[in-house]
Amino acid sequence: MSRSDLERLSKEELIELVLRLHRPEKTSRTSSKPPATDRKERREKSRPGGAKPGHEGHKRALTPDPDQVLEHRPASCSSCGEPLPADLPAEVVSVHERIDLPLVRPVVEQHRRLCVTCPACRTRVAAPRPAGADATPFGPRLHAVATYLKTFQALSYERLQAALSDLFGLRLSQGGLMNVLRRAQDCCAEGRDAALTRLRQASVVASDETGVRIEGTNSWHWVFRCEDAVVHHAAPSRAGTVVNEVMAGHRPAVWLSDRYSAQQGHGERQQTCLAHLARDVAYAVEAGDDLLALRLKWWLDNAFGLARGLTELAASTLARKRRDLERNLDDILKAPATCDLAQALQTRMQRARDQLLTFVAFPGKVDVTNNACERDLRPAVVQRKVTNGYRAMWAAKGEADVRTVVATAALRTKATPFATLLATITA
């Protein structure tokens, strides 16, 4: 804005401009920004980490089944120097453990096909090829290790090469690594289809998306979550057509998401993530001077409190509390707002008016926040920041399939990522 533009502003407009310029920056508490972007001075004012005064210390538990137990007996008396016989009764005064990793080297199993001549008809007979000999020289555990390091530890191809070489003495080209990962990802196709089937039958579905680079262009990593399945999906678009593709025409009873337009209209009813609204309200309280923001914060606190005790309330009590919240919200939305931040909040909540308390009609089945989807997306965000995306669409889609199988297994059986990968590849 030039000087002439400023001179044309009225006194009230200049005051409003100065107030806006002096507003505090948004943080992870007042927006969707990650905690790492918070200002340094805010981090310096935070409480120090570590144990607090009076905290009782904890030690690592001893291994219940050690591989080897060594007993150390004194050879002589520390007082008089008399030798101590080995058959004297002894008691354990302390136990110390030393834990280390064994030297890990690849186990190479070489198969030699032999050919012999039949003594009866003189025909040369060769042994059949061993199973999988034409596909790859690498076994399932190596496939699982490479996929785990690439997908869940966010190693680039160059760093994955170095890790396999330094740790295991394996030297693979980047092309060879791509082939290993592609074969491992193909093993996840069946698990992905099973998760999709469960998703397309669910009555409650939550969804979210985040940006990612694929083949040098801006693309999107989507996640869809229901009670017993998590589906990751890579797509070049952020439009609602991606949801239509994944859901294949299925409309759940409730769709949980943020207020992004592409996430709207995919369920019979919609639940807006209240955590997003709570962060916006927190910023309005901190940066504005309108009491309306405080009233909205109070209203959201009551909504969160109702959600926590939802399954323990009688139907009549639940109906009464919902009526109270709706009446209070109507009053807040009709109240005059003097701050632009409060006005914007009124507009947002008015647009989502019928999506704020949907969870009350489904006790224990619909969350009030979309935090579960955000947690599912977090590893993909880390991968994006570390490796800057994917070289090819097949890699992005394949990694999404791997995350689908692993996340669904963790949801259903609490299995670890590597255990799920190894079981899937060897199935």
Side-chain angles (χ1 to χ4, degrees):
M1 183 175 289
S2 65
R3 182 183 182 90
S4 59
D5 293 333
L6 291 173
E7 290 175 346
R8 285 193 292 268
L9 294 178
S10 65
K11 180 179 179 180
E12 290 75 14
E13 290 173 332
L14 284 172
I15 292 174
E16 181 65 23
L17 179 60
V18 171
L19 290 175
R20 290 188 183 187
L21 292 175
H22 282 79
R23 283 176 181 169
E25 294 183 8
K26 290 189 175 182
T27 66
S28 60
R29 187 181 60 83
T30 58
S31 70
S32 298
K33 297 174 63 176
T37 62
D38 288 351
R39 295 175 61 182
K40 182 179 179 181
E41 53 264 31
R42 292 187 63 87
R43 295 197 299 268
E44 290 176 347
K45 293 179 182 178
S46 63
R47 292 182 299 176
K52 302 301 182 289
H55 174 73
E56 184 179 355
H58 298 282
K59 296 182 179 179
R60 187 185 58 82
L62 294 174
T63 305
D65 52 347
D67 299 295
Q68 188 178 14
V69 176
L70 301 176
E71 294 184 343
H72 302 271
R73 299 177 64 95
S76 59
C77 178
S78 59
S79 177
C80 65
E82 183 71 16
L84 300 176
D87 57 352
L88 286 177
E91 60 175 329
V92 177
V93 293
S94 65
V95 177
H96 308 271
E97 287 188 343
R98 184 186 182 205
I99 302 174
D100 202 355
L101 292 174
L103 177 65
V104 180
R105 292 188 178 276
V107 177
V108 181
E109 187 178 80
Q110 193 174 80
H111 296 261
R112 297 181 178 180
R113 295 176 61 216
L114 303 181
C115 179
V116 298
T117 302
C118 175
C121 64
R122 311 304 297 171
T123 301
R124 289 174 57 83
V125 182
R129 290 182 179 273
D134 293 333
T136 173
F138 305 116
R141 184 171 288 273
L142 176 55
H143 279 74
V145 168
T147 305
Y148 172 77
L149 292 176
K150 180 69 174 68
T151 305
F152 295 96
Q153 298 303 325
L155 296 188
S156 64
Y157 283 107
E158 183 177 354
R159 294 174 61 201
L160 180 56
Q161 274 185 299
L164 293 177
S165 175
D166 293 345
L167 296 177
F168 311 123
L170 284 169
R171 301 187 183 277
L172 281 78
S173 66
Q174 292 193 14
L177 283 175
M178 290 181 185
N179 291 333
V180 166
L181 294 170
R182 195 161 198 167
R183 282 189 293 267
Q185 291 167 355
D186 290 343
C187 296
C188 296
E190 183 177 351
R192 173 207 60 204
D193 292 342
L196 271 172
T197 299
R198 289 191 286 269
L199 180 72
R200 291 166 180 170
Q201 297 172 350
S203 59
V204 179
V205 174
S207 178
D208 202 358
E209 77 290 326
T210 188
V212 66
R213 298 282 290 179
I214 302 177
E215 297 178 349
T217 61
N218 293 333
S219 301
W220 300 91
H221 186 110
W222 292 72
V223 66
F224 302 85
R225 185 185 182 95
C226 64
E227 184 179 8
D228 56 357
V230 179
V231 174
H232 290 260
H233 182 75
S237 171
R238 198 189 182 191
T241 53
V242 177
V243 179
N244 298 333
E245 175 189 350
V246 172
M247 299 305 296
H250 173 62
R251 287 179 61 83
V254 180
W255 190 271
L256 169 61
S257 68
D258 55 24
R259 301 183 306 277
Y260 176 53
S261 59
Q263 293 279 11
Q264 303 294 311
H266 302 295
E268 299 300 327
R269 301 181 67 177
Q270 186 90 12
Q271 172 64 52
T272 288
C273 174
L274 298 189
H276 284 74
L277 289 172
R279 290 192 287 262
D280 293 340
V281 169
Y283 181 71
V285 171
E286 181 178 316
D289 56 356
D290 197 324
L291 291 179
L292 187 67
L294 284 173
R295 294 180 64 186
L296 287 172
K297 181 179 184 303
W298 168 82
W299 187 89
L300 284 171
D301 289 343
N302 287 337
F304 284 125
L306 177 60
R308 286 191 292 270
L310 199 61
T311 57
E312 302 173 1
L313 298 176
S316 58
T317 305
L318 191 59
R320 177 178 57 80
K321 287 181 175 292
R322 177 171 185 164
R323 287 194 301 270
D324 291 343
L325 282 174
E326 289 177 340
R327 184 168 53 253
N328 292 332
L329 181 59
D330 289 336
D331 293 339
I332 294 173
L333 295 180
K334 293 176 183 177
T338 59
C339 173
D340 62 316
L341 293 175
Q343 291 173 352
L345 284 172
Q346 276 185 316
T347 302
R348 292 173 193 169
M349 297 188 76
Q350 185 63 55
R351 289 175 180 172
R353 176 66 181 81
D354 59 344
Q355 302 177 3
L356 302 179
L357 297 175
T358 304
F359 69 93
V360 180
F362 302 86
K365 296 182 180 179
V366 178
D367 291 331
V368 293
T369 72
N370 205 19
N371 293 345
C373 283
E374 292 187 348
R375 288 192 295 269
D376 289 328
L377 283 176
R378 191 169 299 156
V381 175
V382 173
Q383 195 274 352
R384 177 189 68 203
K385 292 182 177 181
V386 173
T387 66
N388 199 30
Y390 304 89
R391 299 180 182 180
M393 180 59 76
W394 70 261
K397 288 184 174 294
E399 187 167 301
D401 293 345
V402 171
R403 294 189 186 278
T404 294
V405 172
V406 170
T408 300
L411 194 65
R412 295 164 62 87
T413 65
K414 309 299 181 185
T416 63
F418 183 74
T420 300
L421 284 173
L422 189 58
T424 302
I425 293 172
T426 56

